[in-house]
Amino acid sequence: MFALSSNLAPASSLLTAVYVGLLPAYAVAAWEDRRRAQLGLAIAVVASAVGGLLIRHIGAANYAASLFTICAAWATGRAIHVRREMDEALERTASLLAAERDDRARLAVAGERSWIARDLHAVVARSVAAMVVQAEAARGRLDGNPATADTALEAVEDVGRQALGEM
């Protein structure tokens, strides 16, 4: 493209400089991996040298300005490429952190439920054990002293209501 544009385009064509020099240098740097981007820069510099120095016979000072412009476009494209990669990496990291946060929240809820279940089991087991002991005592007193058995059965009833209230 450089060689063709050097022969076909006017000597000071800005449009030719943009489409043949800047745009390809920027695009190859912005969208390709490092190796291909460096190869693209080398091709652009060599083609620019062929088109400018050998075909048009421009001076080294004018070629230096052209070379600087091509390199600036390439560097801008590389900066955009690196920024895009960083944004993608940050998005991946953010999604991993969000997933980890959700997992930790689920584990915390499961741990809290387990603690509540153990505590509830202990309360019910203690209350049922007390009810069993008091019911055995009430049965033993039923034959001899029904009033005492009635008090023991009321105690069993109270413990059962307390256990239900705690549950």
Side-chain angles (χ1 to χ4, degrees):
M1 285 300 291
F2 278 103
L4 287 175
S5 70
S6 298
N7 288 324
L8 300 177
S12 63
S13 174
L14 180 62
L15 187 62
T16 302
V18 169
Y19 282 114
V20 176
L22 300 181
L23 193 60
Y26 170 81
V28 74
W31 296 104
E32 293 296 332
D33 62 7
R34 180 185 298 215
R35 189 173 143 258
R36 286 185 176 186
Q38 289 171 343
L39 179 63
L41 176 63
I43 290 171
V45 167
V46 168
S48 174
V50 168
L53 296 174
L54 298 179
I55 296 176
R56 282 202 173 156
H57 303 291
I58 62 172
N62 288 338
Y63 175 70
S66 175
L67 179 64
F68 175 77
T69 307
I70 290 171
C71 289
W74 186 87
T76 303
R78 255 351 256 169
I80 297 291
H81 181 84
V82 168
R83 176 64 188 253
R84 190 179 313 116
E85 284 181 341
M86 279 183 17
D87 287 346
E88 290 171 358
L90 286 174
E91 285 179 16
R92 283 191 303 271
T93 302
S95 67
L96 287 174
L97 288 174
E100 185 177 335
R101 182 190 66 229
D102 292 345
D103 286 345
R104 287 179 186 238
R106 278 193 289 275
L107 287 173
V109 167
E112 185 71 19
R113 286 180 180 163
S114 176
W115 179 80
I116 289 170
R118 281 192 308 270
D119 192 38
L120 185 59
H121 180 268
V123 166
V124 171
R126 185 184 65 233
S127 297
V128 169
M131 290 169 59
V132 167
V133 169
Q134 290 173 349
E136 285 177 351
R139 186 173 0 131
R141 293 184 182 158
L142 252 173
D143 292 336
N145 190 356
T148 312
D150 192 35
T151 305
L153 288 174
E154 284 177 9
V156 169
E157 185 180 335
D158 288 342
V159 170
R161 286 184 193 192
Q162 267 183 334
L164 283 175
E166 288 179 3
M167 282 183 16

